[in-house]
Amino acid sequence: MPPKPPRRAGSARTQRPSPDGGSAPPAAPRVEVGEADFVVLCDALKVSESVREKAWKTYESLSAADGALACDTKKKETWGVCIFIVAIDLDEVTFTFTELLKSIKMSVGTFFQFLKEVDVNMDTVSTKVDSTVSRLKKKYDVLFALYHKFERTCGLIYLEQPSSEISAELSSVLVLKNYWITFLLAKGKVLQVEDDLVISFQLLLCVLDYFIKLSPPAMLKEPYKSSVSAVTVNGSARTPRRGQSRSSRTAKQLDTDTKIIEILCKEHDCNLDEVKNVYFTSFIPFLNSAGIVASNGLPEVEVILKQYDELYLKNKDIDARLFLNHDETLQPAVIACSQLERTPLKNNADEEINIVLPQTPVRAAMNNIQQLIMILNSATDKPSDTLIKYFNNCTVNPKDSILKRVESFEHIFKKKFAEAVGQGWAEIGSQRYKLGVRLYYRVMESMLKSEEERLSVQNFSKLLNDNIFHTSLLACAVEVVMATYGRNASQSDSTSAETDLSFPWILNVFDLKAFDFYKVIESFIRAEPNLTREMIKHLEHCEHRIMESLAWQSGSPLFDLIKQSKEREGQADQPEPTSTPSTPFQHNHTAADLYLSPVKSPKKKASGPPLSATSPPDVPPAVTPQTPQKPQKSTSLSLFYKKVYLLAYRRLHTLFLHLLSDHPDLEPLIWTLFQHTLQNEYELMRDRHLDQIMMCSMYGICKVKNVDLRFKMIVSAYKELCNTNQETFKRVLIREEQYDSIIVFYNLVFMQKLKTNILQYASSRPPTLSPIPHVPRSPYQFSNSPRRVPAGNNIYISPLKSPYKFSDGFQSPTKMTPRSRILVSIGESFGTSEKFQKINQMLCNSEGQLKRSADVGAAAPRPLKRLRFDIEGTDEADGSKHLPQESKFQQKLAEMTSTRTRMQKQKLNDGNDTSATEDK
């Protein structure tokens, strides 16, 4: 149903008295725009005339493109979205985000999803609105995660029905309200970074500690009750002493009794020193500035409410107090709530259905931090004796310069961290930097040991006196720490949400070029085998960010290297082949190769063509035996182009499958144009994004091949890909300081530069196709990744993921049920012997095929013994009997345990047999 034409009805404004006491001149009649309900909504949100008019026009254009938006069920929601968009674009926001959601009766999750659906055209939602939505979403994710953690934690602290001696004024509802609003106020006043989950949670623990000490012991569960009782006996925490400020009293109290904060930190795997630091440097100053006074054991709610209300109205965002009421506007999208990892449903309806809940964002963040700390337990923030030996072996000892550099960057980092998070958090920044320094020395030592084994030398004077190498290595170590602590709440669903401290923030702190930082990433990962999957994935994401855009920014050394390579080799106008499908990509470069390049090519390689997978601009296509020794080339540039080509093709192939799977013949054409642009028209990448060139290449080839593919379709598919940003296609550099959409870039820049080349694909003699790059396995292996059993069987093997409680150490897993300790899932019931036999048969066949393919011509390997599961409860392999009183589940469990042990022994024996055969 199309929208009704605008209704314009004159209505005089209510006259207000003038400041001098006289009556104000009559206001101009206001022209009402839109339907009556639209006017009511605008009045409720107090929007300006300009916002009303533009919002209605936006609604008209949207409903004309999609009539469903004008139906009665979606009309009001669409109006709200249009008002939101226009108000932000015009900087005339007169309402809070929660007020908007209440007015149109939408939840946060639904609103974000609907806004994404409404943006059918690239110009509907501006990058300014995208940025605002991103900030709101990150803040909501953090608040949502923290509230649910807070609610569960309070359930472990407070009794649901305390004894009758407790005043009715101290109900659990009132306690929760005091807790939560005090935390919200502290978070808003103290933290400049709204979406830092770890710091926010540490602050929440400080609030919990403060309130627990103010609570009557009769309200508390153990062990908090005993701790508070001990404090009360030794000196009441609620009795003020004259002549002492609250700050000094609280500091002394915490200093003499840290039992409660210790319990909280141990329970949640938090670093005690960090939380105490937050308490003294941030929470106590907040209490003093807020003027919070305890009354009847708790601060006065009215005082806290008034201050938070002022903060909320100032920020115009989410009213997080509504979490206490489980308000519908703060509920996540239905899809997000249903994404639980479930074990297969059982056949027996009487049995309990197991639901394996994923880790909460807070728990995942704490576990990641504990893993990092345990890796660094044996490391120090000073060079080890081994490193000192390497330093002493250098022609020029680098020790003094290294120590000075580390000290200098500590001051810079501490200052920048405080500017980003808040001045009270400088010491927290210093603690994180020192963790990074420990990792820096640890990885440096590992790198040097590897280089010594590879080159059989101990003098690394040139590398260890290279300032860029050290700055990059230190920055990479600190980035790993920052990413571990900076885990965002929305990252629990594998998205790459960014915070104010996210990469590339670290590059600005260290004044480091992205291209130089990229050189150390792969070597860093190889040198530290204990990095977790999350850490490795983050560094790989940083590498991709650099290759797709950061390395191509103006001022990057990359352009100088390409220019020098072109001039040196004289190949500026000659296209060069990319990697071929048959040539594997080698990951054998070290940090020394990249930071000390350009290097001289080995003489042995001067007699024939190179064996590299890719020939970027600095490598000639071939070398004859008569050619004299090649001039110096840049190893770092060569490897960079190889990786860029691989990343570019992966991105192109993914988008191609979404859009053009019915035209497989077009993929090599698009890739050829894409690769030609990166290699020969590399200036088009300056201050632009790799994906912009990819989308233009796809559109250009489809255009000349008369395939109906519009930019709108390309952009719609692109938005669904992982790790994409709408700014990539909404804000593209056209010329200096002028930006526009991807369509304008194609017409005014891309097409003008490559018109001749693009038209060749429509001729009878198209350009020679570039070979499709060989896509290797990632050099970054993840120990936790499920592996597919060979020979085409649909069976995957995944390492046991024990939920260790890190406060007890790696060797002490938390208590697990017998079922969760060893769990086999076949998609139905626990399984019958026939099903296990089928799986057994497939595994045996796969193992045999794998061994035969790995060692052709060798003696035939012994097949694995068939696993047998006896229905009566006897394992034929070891003859063990089961007691008659044992349940079928216990019997099956015992069989599985025995089978697993036997398989491990047999694997070990097979390995020994193979080694013995090789020795012969």
Side-chain angles (χ1 to χ4, degrees), residues 611-865:
L611 300 177
S612 62
T614 310
S615 296
D618 60 325
V619 184
V623 179
T624 61
Q626 291 76 24
T627 304
Q629 183 178 347
K630 294 194 297 180
Q632 291 183 339
K633 67 175 183 178
S634 171
T635 304
S636 59
L637 179 61
S638 174
L639 180 62
F640 179 79
Y641 254 91
K642 291 176 185 179
K643 288 192 171 187
V644 167
Y645 286 155
L646 290 173
L647 177 64
Y649 176 70
R650 284 194 188 100
R651 296 268 181 89
L652 173 63
H653 183 65
T654 303
L655 187 62
F656 185 88
L657 292 179
H658 277 73
L659 294 167
L660 297 167
S661 56
D662 295 337
H663 302 275
D665 55 310
L666 293 183
E667 185 180 31
L669 302 181
I670 298 170
W671 167 244
T672 301
L673 176 60
F674 192 9
Q675 183 270 329
H676 167 83
T677 307
L678 294 174
Q679 180 175 281
N680 298 295
E681 304 294 345
Y682 55 87
E683 278 293 334
L684 284 176
M685 278 293 298
R686 187 183 292 273
D687 296 322
R688 296 189 180 99
H689 196 287
L690 184 70
D691 293 348
Q692 294 166 354
I693 307 300
M694 173 186 69
M695 288 185 276
C696 287
S697 299
M698 180 174 286
Y699 180 81
I701 293 298
C702 289
K703 193 78 171 175
V704 298
K705 287 296 184 179
N706 297 317
V707 175
D708 185 21
L709 182 69
R710 302 178 184 181
F711 258 120
K712 178 180 176 180
M713 299 166 62
I714 295 176
V715 165
S716 297
Y718 178 77
K719 287 192 295 186
E720 300 302 319
L721 302 183
C722 296
N723 299 324
T724 58
N725 190 322
Q726 296 195 41
E727 189 166 333
T728 303
F729 54 82
K730 289 183 177 180
R731 191 174 185 270
V732 190
L733 178 67
I734 306 302
R735 55 182 64 91
E736 187 176 358
E737 297 183 358
Q738 180 186 346
Y739 295 84
D740 214 313
S741 70
I742 187 77
I743 300 175
V744 176
F745 167 71
Y746 177 85
N747 290 328
L748 298 185
V749 182
F750 188 87
M751 186 61 182
Q752 301 304 317
K753 191 75 173 178
L754 291 162
K755 185 175 182 179
T756 303
N757 185 276
I758 292 174
L759 292 177
Q760 290 179 5
Y761 291 90
S763 66
S764 57
R765 300 184 63 183
T768 304
L769 298 179
S770 299
I772 300 296
H774 170 77
V775 180
R777 293 178 61 182
S778 170
Y780 315 126
Q781 298 302 318
F782 309 121
S783 60
N784 290 332
S785 299
R787 290 192 172 186
R788 192 171 191 268
V789 175
N793 298 320
N794 192 25
I795 296 178
Y796 292 80
I797 299 175
S798 180
L800 178 65
K801 299 176 182 178
S802 299
Y804 291 101
K805 190 168 183 62
F806 290 102
S807 57
D808 298 330
F810 276 122
Q811 303 304 321
S812 302
T814 52
K815 293 182 180 180
M816 302 173 70
T817 64
R819 179 173 178 78
S820 63
R821 188 119 183 130
I822 303 175
L823 179 63
V824 173
S825 170
I826 314 180
E828 297 176 15
S829 63
F830 188 69
T832 63
S833 60
E834 290 79 9
K835 289 173 183 170
F836 280 106
Q837 287 172 0
K838 288 180 181 179
I839 293 177
N840 209 17
Q841 179 65 46
M842 288 190 287
L843 286 170
C844 291
N845 293 341
S846 301
E847 185 72 17
Q849 292 181 23
L850 182 61
K851 287 187 177 182
R852 284 191 292 274
S853 64
D855 190 12
V856 179
R862 284 190 299 130
L864 288 174
K865 293 179 182 178

Side-chain angles (χ1 to χ4, degrees), residues 193-204:
V193 181
E194 298 175 315
D195 51 6
D196 192 304
L197 182 64
V198 174
I199 290 181
S200 297
F201 182 64
Q202 290 173 339
L203 186 61
L204 178 59

Side-chain angles (χ1 to χ4, degrees), residues 407-647:
E407 182 181 0
S408 173
F409 276 122
E410 179 177 6
H411 297 302
I412 296 173
F413 182 88
K414 189 175 177 180
K415 178 183 176 184
K416 295 287 186 180
F417 187 88
E419 289 175 357
V421 181
Q423 292 303 319
W425 303 86
E427 288 305 316
I428 295 292
S430 180
Q431 288 179 339
R432 296 187 184 179
Y433 177 81
K434 287 176 181 177
L435 283 175
V437 170
R438 289 160 64 181
L439 183 59
Y440 160 70
Y441 285 130
R442 177 184 167 98
V443 172
M444 188 197 306
E445 181 177 326
S446 177
M447 282 183 175
L448 294 178
K449 286 179 179 177
S450 299
E451 286 293 279
E452 182 180 2
E453 293 174 3
R454 185 173 73 100
L455 303 174
S456 299
V457 297
Q458 294 183 337
N459 186 346
F460 300 104
S461 184
K462 190 173 182 181
L463 177 65
L464 292 179
N465 283 283
D466 188 288
N467 178 60
I468 296 179
F469 163 70
H470 281 291
T471 304
S472 302
L473 183 60
L474 178 58
C476 191
V478 176
E479 174 61 26
V480 168
V481 174
M482 293 297 292
T484 303
Y485 275 88
R487 179 187 176 91
N488 189 278
S490 60
Q491 286 177 297
S492 57
D493 59 359
S494 301
T495 62
S496 56
E498 296 182 0
T499 70
D500 292 340
L501 301 178
S502 294
F503 185 82
W505 178 80
I506 199 72
L507 300 183
N508 298 325
V509 174
F510 283 79
D511 192 21
L512 188 64
K513 298 296 184 183
F515 182 73
D516 291 326
F517 182 86
Y518 136 84
K519 298 176 188 177
V520 82
I521 294 176
E522 185 171 332
S523 296
F524 189 99
I525 293 173
R526 292 182 177 278
E528 182 46 79
N530 293 321
L531 289 178
T532 64
R533 176 188 177 92
E534 287 76 17
M535 297 175 194
I536 294 174
K537 291 295 289 183
H538 174 74
L539 289 178
E540 188 175 27
H541 175 66
C542 294
E543 187 179 59
H544 289 175
R545 287 282 306 277
I546 292 170
M547 291 190 292
E548 69 189 13
S549 62
L550 297 177
W552 301 95
Q553 292 177 349
S554 295
S556 171
L558 174 62
F559 289 101
D560 291 335
L561 279 176
I562 297 176
K563 185 178 179 181
Q564 293 167 11
S565 173
K566 294 284 188 180
E567 293 173 351
R568 183 175 63 247
E569 301 290 350
Q571 302 290 328
D573 300 321
Q574 299 181 23
E576 298 164 4
T578 59
S579 56
T580 61
S582 59
T583 307
F585 181 71
Q586 302 295 329
H587 297 277
N588 52 6
H589 297 279
T590 66
D593 295 331
L594 302 184
Y595 284 97
L596 302 182
S597 75
V599 296
K600 291 184 178 179
S601 302
K603 292 183 179 179
K604 329 178 170 177
K605 295 187 179 179
S607 59
L611 300 177
S612 62
T614 310
S615 296
D618 60 325
V619 184
V623 179
T624 61
Q626 291 76 24
T627 304
Q629 183 178 347
K630 294 194 297 180
Q632 291 183 339
K633 67 175 183 178
S634 171
T635 304
S636 59
L637 179 61
S638 174
L639 180 62
F640 179 79
Y641 254 91
K642 291 176 185 179
K643 288 192 171 187
V644 167
Y645 286 155
L646 290 173
L647 177 64

